[in-house]
Amino acid sequence: MTSAPRRTLNDAVTQFWSIAAPLYDLPFLQQWVYRPAQNEVTEQLKAIGARKVADIACGTGILADRIRDELHPDEVYGVDMSDGMLAQAKARSSNVQWRKGPAEHLPFEDGVLDAVVTTSAFHFFDQPAALREFHRVLAPGGLVAVATLSPRQPLPLHRLSANRLNPAHNPSPDEMRALFEGAGFRVSDQHRVRRPAWTRVLSDLITVGIKT
């Protein structure tokens, strides 16, 4: 069962993004902040030929819609907690199946997906619980790809932002590997997201795992 603190955090995040959803689609934000990580995830999915894919914390559906248009899998799902985000996602595409739910309690049966991806949202999750849930819904050999903020050096506020739900709020590469392995994944790839030099202050990391 989800704890009261977790519900409080999820509610706050949901309310914020329901209000901020229109800002999320601003072209400069998409091109320079979000798209580099989405490019990395798309490459990973293309390499394995995933047929059933879910984008978790899908926002307004840009990545999920792109996966559908560029890779042509059999099924694409976009999952988000925010009604505002999902409303824009549904207006964007009727070819993606949009579902509401948190990363820690996904609306899927066990072992039904080939790939689970998430970009620019992992810092909002109960990270161990979310990865366990990704493992649950993936078929054996399924792929998970997580792109998240990961400072190259510890930030002054890094430890202050941590709590018992997110012990590694913006995880280091080693912390990400430990989280993946703790959830039952074998890490198959990990590297810094490739992005223009002037945007590297974001310092995000992609970690890819295979369900064992």
Side-chain angles (χ1 to χ4, degrees), residues 30 34 44 46 88-90 92 113 120 130 144 152 157 161 190 197 204 209:
Q30 286 300 319
Y34 298 115
Q44 293 286 339
K46 185 177 181 180
Q88 288 189 226
K90 291 174 182 177
R92 181 184 305 282
L113 299 175
S120 306
V144 59
R152 296 174 188 271
L157 296 179
S161 69
Q190 185 183 70
D204 41 354

Side-chain angles (χ1 to χ4, degrees), residues 36-48:
Q38 294 171 358
N39 290 343
E40 300 268 2
V41 164
T42 303
E43 289 174 12
Q44 293 286 339
L45 294 175
K46 185 177 181 180
I48 67 164

Side-chain angles (χ1 to χ4, degrees), residues 176-212:
M176 282 297 289
R177 283 182 173 272
L179 285 165
F180 268 55
E181 291 167 359
F185 291 104
R186 172 180 60 83
V187 175
S188 60
D189 188 15
Q190 185 183 70
H191 59 270
R192 294 287 171 182
V193 171
R194 296 181 290 272
R195 56 172 58 251
W198 66 274
T199 67
R200 287 178 191 165
V201 65
L202 295 173
S203 193
D204 41 354
L205 179 79
I206 183 167
T207 305
V208 181
I210 305 297
K211 177 175 178 175
T212 57

